[in-house]
Amino acid sequence: MKLEPLMTLHVVSKPVEIGTGPQGTRTIYDVTGGTFQGARLRGTVLPSGADWLLMDSEGVGRLDVRITLETDDGARIYMQYHGIFVANEQAATALAQGGATTYGDTYFMTQPRFETGDARYSWLNRIVAVGEGRLLRSAAEYQVFALAHG
């Protein structure tokens, strides 16, 4: 098994604070746009999704993200990922000051999966992918990899 680079995904969003409830603090990050680029696919993130982030009392966030990708050649791809984000000191500072983190500053891992009806990208329907994220101002960026056999 090996990791093959799939794309860099840049997701721009706007937070909607829900508040602290019985399971933690909920913030919905409405996706307003973004881009993705890789060797086999590139395009834009449509403003039709969100991240329903739930932060627990220990600073561990559980991501539940659903977005729509549109490739430069017109295909639409549904992308959903769950993941874990740990709000350590670097991440907390970046969030509070509107700054950024670098890959590896904190544990920020995702498990993307894809759905499309476009035959040109049907290979996405049958891959397992993983990603690592970092924070940017009003955005998150992910390095996404496909798990390859052999």
Side-chain angles (χ1 to χ4, degrees):
M1 177 176 62
K2 63 181 178 176
L3 295 176
E4 292 182 348
L6 183 60
M7 68 176 156
T8 299
L9 172 66
H10 183 89
V11 180
V12 179
S13 61
K14 181 179 176 182
V16 177
E17 302 292 335
I18 302 302
T20 302
Q23 297 180 16
T25 302
R26 174 80 63 187
T27 305
I28 300 171
Y29 288 87
D30 287 330
V31 172
T32 59
T35 59
F36 60 96
Q37 182 172 345
R40 297 176 70 186
L41 68 163
R42 70 182 68 236
T44 58
V45 178
L46 299 180
S48 60
D51 177 1
W52 290 264
L53 178 69
L54 182 65
M55 293 291 292
D56 70 17
S57 61
E58 296 177 353
V60 176
R62 285 166 175 64
L63 289 78
D64 179 2
V65 180
R66 298 166 211 163
I67 59 176
T68 305
L69 309 178
E70 185 170 66
T71 63
D72 285 350
D73 56 1
R76 295 227 171 123
I77 302 163
Y78 171 69
M79 180 179 182
Q80 179 180 13
Y81 54 96
H82 292 95
I84 299 290
F85 166 73
V86 177
N88 65 6
E89 187 175 329
Q90 293 98 325
T93 299
L95 286 169
Q97 297 176 358
T101 61
T102 60
Y103 292 110
D105 277 352
T106 190
Y107 192 87
F108 190 174
M109 303 295 173
T110 65
Q111 301 164 295
R113 71 186 170 104
F114 305 92
E115 292 178 30
T116 186
D118 192 298
R120 297 169 295 174
Y121 295 95
S122 64
W123 55 273
L124 286 167
N125 295 327
R126 18 177 219 280
I127 66 167
V128 174
V130 294
E132 181 178 15
R134 70 184 186 119
L135 299 174
L136 301 174
R137 181 180 298 243
S138 300
E141 183 178 86
Y142 302 90
Q143 295 176 329
V144 182
F145 300 87
L147 296 176
H149 184 278

